[in-house]
């Protein structure tokens, strides 16, 4: 690559990935000599990019944090992905991210070429968001630490609180972050337990990237007899299904289907008309009894749970508890 400005931009794009690049690999990627790479690194430093070099047979170059953030170099796909992600940020379960997402999106779209703005709009308009907005909030710094470690193939240490409140220390090889809209999860290989685990990110505290690199392991083979490694989405689905029993919902609402559908999360299914001014929901869910019961109550109309039996029993207990919470004579002075 003989065009110096173009080569510098390509070099900067490579260095902005979270890893250390051996000089020989950079030279091979850019089709230049190692001496040219050294000169180009010096040029980037003169422009304010803090490039750190390590010596030795396995040494290389990496971009480190400086006093100020230099301009980022994004390719078309990266720019579109960031813009779409920022547009979705306002409704996501990341604490304090909404306002920052709007500011960042305004800056990004100001400089996006028209062809990319069209792609962002087309993708956004063709996508139905399943974000429910009522999951646990997450510290953005925790999320970015996990994401950087997974991208850079760097081992993590963190404290983890299980569902029963037990606190444990974990050391893992992070594989993927998964967002369900309601919550974030980390798929990782647990080194102490020598097995794959799925962690709720809102229960992770004090994450620390150790600096130790690892070669990614293949996910466990599919359970259909094929023996082929599973992909991230299928593995996550199997993992969640194993820890949370599926609920076969059968609920009748005393309101039209359109009214109910507008107030139910899409992941709970779509109700169908069932007589005059009534509808019925028959679907399945891997969410907890507590969450499903509360979402049904928040629809804002009369409803009857036909099944499953455990949900019927929980709704009865919840109703009795709420009645007791009102206390004797709680509505005596109320005026309609």
């Amino acid at each position: 690559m003989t065009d110096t400005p173009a080569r510098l931009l390509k070099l900067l794009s490579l260095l902005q990935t979270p890893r250390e690049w051996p000089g020989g690999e950079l030279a091979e990627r850019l089709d230049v000599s190692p001496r040219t790479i050294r000169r180009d690194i010096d040029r980037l430093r003169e422009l304010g990019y803090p490039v750190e070099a390590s010596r030795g047979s396995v040494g290389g170059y990496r971009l480190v944090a400086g006093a100020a953030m230099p301009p980022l170099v994004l390719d078309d796909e990266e720019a579109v992905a960031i813009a779409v992600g920022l547009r979705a940020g306002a409704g996501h379960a990341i604490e304090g991210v909404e306002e920052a997402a709007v500011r960042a999106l305004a800056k990004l779209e100001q400089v996006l070429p028209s062809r990319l703005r069209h792609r962002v709009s087309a993708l956004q308009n063709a996508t139905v968001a399943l974000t429910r907005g009522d999951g646990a909030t997450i510290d953005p710094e925790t999320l970015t630490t996990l994401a950087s470690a997974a991208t850079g193939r760097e081992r993590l240490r963190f404290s983890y609180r299980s569902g029963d409140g037990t606190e444990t220390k974990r050391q893992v090889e992070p594989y993927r972050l998964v967002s369900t809209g309601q919550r974030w999860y980390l798929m990782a290989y647990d080194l102490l337990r020598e097995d794959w685990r799925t962690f709720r990110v809102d229960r992770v505290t004090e994450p620390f990237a150790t600096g130790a690199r690892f070669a990614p392991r293949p996910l466990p083979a599919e359970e259909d007899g094929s023996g082929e490694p599973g992909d991230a989405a299928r593995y996550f689905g199997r993992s969640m299904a194993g820890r949370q029993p599926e609920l076969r919902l059968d609920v009748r609402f005393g309101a039209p289907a359109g009214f109910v559908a507008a107030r139910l999360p899409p992941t709970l299914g779509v109700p169908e008309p069932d007589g005059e001014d009534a509808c019925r929901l028959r679907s399945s869910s891997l969410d907890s009894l507590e969450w499903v019961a509360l979402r049904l109550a928040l629809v804002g109309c009369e409803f009857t749970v036909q099944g499953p039996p455990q949900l019927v029993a929980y709704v009865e207990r919840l109703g009795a508890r709420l009645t007791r919470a009102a206390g004797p004579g709680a509505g005596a002075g109320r005026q309609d």
Side-chain angles (χ1 to χ4, degrees):
M1 183 179 290
T2 58
D3 185 345
T4 300
R7 189 177 66 246
L8 285 175
L9 288 175
K10 177 64 175 177
L11 174 60
L12 183 57
S13 178
L14 292 173
L15 291 174
Q16 285 178 340
T17 58
R19 57 162 293 190
E20 186 169 289
W21 290 88
E25 186 175 350
L26 289 174
E28 182 179 352
R29 288 286 191 105
L30 300 178
D31 195 24
V32 295
S33 67
R35 183 179 179 182
T36 299
I37 291 296
R38 290 193 293 270
R39 288 201 302 264
D40 287 347
I41 292 294
D42 289 338
R43 290 189 181 101
L44 290 178
R45 288 169 175 161
E46 291 172 1
L47 293 172
Y49 291 91
V51 182
E52 181 179 85
S54 58
R55 299 184 180 275
S57 58
V58 295
Y61 302 97
R62 61 192 296 263
L63 194 65
V64 298
M69 188 179 75
L72 296 175
V73 177
L74 304 173
D75 62 31
D76 286 4
E77 301 301 325
E78 291 170 341
V80 170
I82 290 174
V84 171
L86 289 171
R87 285 191 175 190
H92 230 307
I94 309 175
E95 186 177 5
V97 79
E98 296 89 346
E99 183 180 351
V102 172
R103 293 199 310 269
L105 181 61
K107 294 177 181 178
L108 180 59
E109 293 195 334
Q110 177 73 19
V111 297
L112 278 180
S114 59
R115 70 180 190 282
L116 297 187
R117 284 200 298 270
H118 175 74
R119 288 177 59 185
V120 171
S121 298
L123 182 57
Q124 190 75 17
N125 293 336
T127 302
V128 176
L130 297 183
T131 301
R132 291 179 278 202
D134 53 1
T137 56
I138 299 168
D139 180 4
E141 186 174 348
T142 295
L143 198 62
T144 54
T145 298
L146 302 186
S148 295
T151 302
R153 299 174 182 174
E154 189 173 354
R155 289 179 176 173
L156 273 171
R157 289 177 181 163
F158 54 82
S159 299
Y160 189 71
R161 176 179 52 82
S162 64
D164 61 6
T166 303
E167 297 277 354
T168 55
K169 300 291 185 181
R170 304 297 183 106
Q171 184 173 0
V172 305
E173 295 176 351
Y175 185 77
R176 290 286 190 280
L177 278 169
V178 179
S179 171
T180 65
Q182 184 189 9
R183 294 189 179 96
W184 284 87
Y185 295 87
L186 173 68
M187 294 169 51
Y189 186 84
D190 192 312
L191 294 171
L192 297 179
R193 290 154 181 80
E194 298 183 339
D195 198 4
W196 288 88
R197 292 289 189 270
T198 302
F199 302 95
R200 272 181 49 173
V201 176
D202 58 292
R203 294 176 178 170
V204 170
T205 56
E206 301 176 344
F208 173 73
T210 66
R213 305 288 177 175
F214 65 90
R217 305 169 189 261
L219 286 172
E222 296 285 4
E223 299 176 353
D224 57 5
S226 66
E228 295 295 327
D231 65 22
R234 289 198 298 270
Y235 176 79
F236 178 77
R238 295 201 310 270
S239 173
M240 297 306 294
R243 68 174 62 183
Q244 179 68 44
E246 184 178 51
L247 299 176
R248 296 286 185 175
L249 304 180
D250 186 357
V251 184
R252 191 175 191 275
F253 295 91
F259 175 91
V260 175
R263 289 160 177 78
L264 273 181
T267 50
L268 285 184
V270 179
E272 297 180 353
D274 184 34
E276 187 176 355
D277 292 331
C279 63
R280 195 159 185 170
L281 176 68
R282 292 187 178 94
S283 64
S284 60
S285 174
L286 290 175
D287 289 299
S288 66
L289 283 172
E290 297 84 354
W291 187 85
V292 172
L294 288 175
R295 291 304 314 201
L296 296 177
L298 289 174
V299 170
C301 67
E302 297 293 326
F303 68 96
T304 303
V305 179
Q306 308 289 342
Q310 62 267 41
L311 182 58
V312 173
Y314 181 81
V315 169
E316 289 177 347
R317 294 195 302 271
L318 178 62
R321 189 158 64 245
L322 292 175
T323 299
R324 292 193 299 271
R334 183 181 64 191
Q335 295 183 356
D336 294 328

